[in-house]
Every structure is written in structure tokens, then in C-alpha cells.
């Protein structure tokens, strides 16, 4: 497939699995994340299949985003797919006990970071009168759960931005897909609980969560539809999950 995809958060989890899935289709990849070593490792692994370039930057740093995207050479600028995936939860506590640094990390990364990257890439898509933006939201963006307050707010913002992008980019033939997964086993909980392995593992105990590859398979479906078809909104659950609050464990 003669396409180029820019993936944020490609060093781990859903972003990495999408990179692998897109590579299988021959989609050229611009892999982004903060951990350059992991980006280079993935580039090495996929380079036999497709051309890959890497950009290491923190999506929260507006200047760094613009500088990095500004280095994309001419022959890589026809970006067909922007996968806005970078993001994390930080902490899980009642609003009255929330850590303000965690709040900043979530609002700056999940919301403002997604905006900075989109702002830098959308002009390429408008110039080409085509493109596909895939925003990774969460079921947390549709249903707030106890102690999820700011993470849920950041993902509710992603939901609103997906809708807003679809409206505003409609004249330019740019597709927007919003993806809202439930529980996916990645490094997500390890980051949320600041490296606490036991707490992280307990999140996925007693049921089979989605894998990053399961989510990547659905995203790959969305980005391979015919030109006139838009998968606008996808909610993905493991079979054990019925909502943010209802999860059947053994
Ligand atoms: P991971 O922790 O495995 O991956 C998160 C990715 O985001 C990493 O590649 C990380 O790269 C990147 N990232 C995080 N913060 C920044 C930053 N400030 N700048 C640049 N890159 C950043 O988690 P997932 O794969 O699960 O998460 C991917 C997306 O899916 C997130 O938006 C998350 O909110 C969402 N999601 C996850 C669910 C789950 O249950 N796992 C459920 C629903 C949604 P690096 O650290 O190298 O910068």
C-alpha cells in the first residue's frame, strides 16, 4: 500500500502494534516517541518490510513538536495517516487528593500534545486534499469512573476534538476516526501506577484483556476502507468488560 503513516507513541503498546500491522501492508512509517532507543529498535525490526524514519520528541513540548515535524523531508511529507496515540494515565485518586503534576502530564500530553501534532500535520493533508486522522481516545472519554477524573476529562476532550476535526476538515476530504478502547494490556497501568508492577498486574487479573495487537487490527481495518468510507467511532472491549465499571473477573 503506497501510504505514509505518522504514529505517535510508537515505542510501546497500541502504537507499536499499529506500526507492526501497518508495516505488514507496506505502509511507510514515521515513528514517534520520547524513547529513541526503542524507536531505533523498532525501525531496525521493520526496515526489512518498509521504509521507516524516527522522530524523538515529547508531545507536550510545542517547540519540540514543531522542530521535529519540521525536519520531515519532502519525500515523506505526503502523510496519509496520522495516528494520534501518544498518551497515558498518571495516578488514580479522588479529585481532592489528585497530584497537580499528574494532572498537567495528562492534560498536556493527551490533549495539548495531540493538538500540537495535529496542527503541524494537518497543513500537509489540506494541501493534498486527503488524509486520515485516527485519535486514540478511551472508554474513559465516554464514561467517567471513580478516581479517573482528570484522565477521563482528557479523553472526553479527545472525543470532542475528534468530532470537531471531522466537522472542520470535512471540506478537505480528510477522514477522522475516533477509537475508544476498554482494557488493553500494555505498559499503560505500569505508567499510571508509577512503575508499581504488582498494582499494574492486578488491573488485568481474572479476565482476558485486549492485546495491543487486537486494537491494532481494528485500527488497520479503519485505515484500509475504500476512499469514500469513514469508520467514525470505534468502541472496543474485551468480552469480560461491559463498561468502565462492569468487568467480569474469574
Ligand atoms: P503505553 O504506555 O504502552 O504506550 C504509551 C505510548 O505513548 C508510549 O509509546 C509513549 O512513548 C507515548 N507517550 C506517552 N507520553 C508521551 C509524551 N509526553 N510524548 C511523546 N510520547 C508519549 O500505553 P498504551 O499503548 O495502552 O496507550 C496508547 C494510547 O491508548 C494512550 O493514548 C492511552 O490513553 C490509550 N488507551 C489505553 C488503554 C489501555 O487500557 N491500555 C485503554 C484506552 C485508551 P515514550 O514513553 O517513549 O514517549
Amino acid at each position: 500500500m503506497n501510504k505514509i503513516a505518522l504514529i505517535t507513541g510508537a515505542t510501546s503498546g497500541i502504537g507499536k502494534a499499529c506500526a507492526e500491522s501497518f508495516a505488514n501492508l507496506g505502509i511507510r512509517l514515521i515513528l514517534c516517541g520520547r524513547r529513541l532507543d526503542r524507536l531505533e529498535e523498532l525501525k531496525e525490526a521493520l526496515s526489512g518490510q518498509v521504509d521507516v524514519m524516527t522522530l524523538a520528541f515529547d508531545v507536550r513540548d510545542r517547540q519540540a513538536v514543531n522542530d521535529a515535524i519540521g525536519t520531515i523531508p519532502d519525500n515523506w511529507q505526503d502523510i496519509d495517516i496520522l495516528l494520534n496515540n501518544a498518551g497515558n494515565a498518571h495516578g488514580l485518586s479522588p479529585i481532592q487528593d489528585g497530584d497537580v503534576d499528574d494532572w498537567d502530564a495528562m492534560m498536556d500530553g493527551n490533549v495539548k500534545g495531540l493538538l500540537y501534532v495535529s496542527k503541524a500535520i494537518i497543513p500537509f493533508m489540506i494541501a493534498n486534499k486527503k488524509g486520515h486522522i485516527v485519535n486514540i481516545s478511551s472508554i474513559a472519554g465516554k464514561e467517567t469512573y471513580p478516581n479517573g477524573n482528570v484522565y477521563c476529562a482528557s479523553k472526553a476532550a479527545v472525543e470532542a476534538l475528534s468530532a470537531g476535526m471531522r466537522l472542520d476538515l470535512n471540506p478537505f476530504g480528510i477522514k477522522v476516526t475516533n477509537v475508544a478502547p476498554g482494557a488493553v494490556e500494555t505498559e499503560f497501568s505500569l505508567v499510571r501506577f508509577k512503575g508499581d508492577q504488582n498494582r499494574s498486574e492486578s488491573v488485568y487479573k481474572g479476565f482476558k484483556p485486549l492485546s495491543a495487537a487486537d486494537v491494532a487490527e481494528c485500527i488497520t481495518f479503519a485505515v484500509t476502507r475504500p476512499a469514500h468510507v469513514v469508520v467514525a467511532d470505534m468502541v472496543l472491549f474485551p468480552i469480560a468488560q461491559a463498561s468502565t465499571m462492569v468487568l467480569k473477573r474469574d
Side-chain angles (χ1 to χ4, degrees):
M1 188 175 282
N2 186 23
K3 286 194 172 171
I4 299 178
L6 185 146
I7 302 176
T8 67
T11 58
S12 169
I14 295 168
K16 183 178 180 199
C18 286
E20 290 163 348
S21 174
F22 290 1
N24 285 335
L25 298 177
I27 298 174
R28 288 160 68 196
L29 297 170
I30 306 176
L31 304 177
C32 309
R34 288 167 299 183
R35 287 169 288 182
L36 183 60
D37 53 334
R38 287 200 185 192
L39 289 175
E40 290 305 322
E41 215 172 277
L42 188 57
K43 177 180 175 178
E44 174 86 20
L46 301 180
S47 285
Q49 289 170 273
V50 281
D51 289 338
V52 179
M53 64 169 283
T54 61
L55 294 175
F57 61 88
D58 187 328
V59 296
R60 294 171 297 180
D61 181 340
R62 195 198 316 183
Q63 189 64 49
V65 170
N66 291 334
D67 288 350
I69 291 173
T71 66
I72 297 176
D74 286 352
N75 61 335
W76 281 88
Q77 286 181 5
D78 286 348
I79 294 167
D80 299 281
I81 301 163
L82 165 61
L83 177 54
N84 276 319
N85 163 76
N88 275 115
H90 298 276
L92 180 71
S93 40
I95 194 82
Q96 63 275 20
D97 298 335
D99 179 323
V100 178
D101 289 335
D102 284 345
W103 294 355
D104 282 344
M106 291 186 279
M107 298 311 284
D108 291 350
N110 303 355
V111 185
K112 290 166 70 183
L114 180 147
L115 283 170
Y116 297 155
V117 174
S118 302
K119 174 88 178 157
I121 300 298
I122 286 170
F124 298 135
M125 293 184 167
I126 288 181
N128 291 336
K129 287 222 164 5
K130 70 177 170 66
H132 192 161
I133 301 174
V134 181
N135 292 328
I136 308 301
S137 170
S138 169
I139 189 61
K142 298 185 189 286
E143 294 170 37
T144 302
Y145 52 85
N147 304 324
N149 43 68
V150 177
Y151 178 66
C152 296
S154 75
K155 291 301 186 178
V158 174
E159 297 274 319
L161 289 171
S162 292
M165 287 178 181
R166 194 175 304 110
L167 293 169
D168 297 345
L169 299 174
N170 172 271
F172 306 105
I174 297 172
K175 300 184 184 187
V176 179
T177 298
N178 186 76
V179 183
V184 192
E185 190 165 13
T186 61
E187 293 175 18
F188 178 84
S189 293
L190 202 58
V191 173
R192 166 169 254 172
F193 298 122
K194 306 183 194 311
D196 183 335
Q197 199 87 39
N198 289 336
R199 223 175 148 195
S200 165
E201 279 168 12
S202 73
V203 172
Y204 308 107
K205 280 232 171 83
F207 74 104
K208 184 174 182 181
L210 295 172
S211 67
D214 292 329
V215 178
E217 194 176 357
C218 295
I219 292 171
T220 303
F221 173 81
V223 301
T224 51
R225 291 311 84 213
H228 67 293
V229 178
V230 178
V231 178
D233 205 2
M234 278 203 283
V235 180
L236 308 171
F237 282 133
I239 192 164
Q241 187 172 18
S243 74
T244 56
M245 301 290 292
V246 176
L247 188 59
K248 182 171 154 295
R249 295 182 197 260
D250 298 336

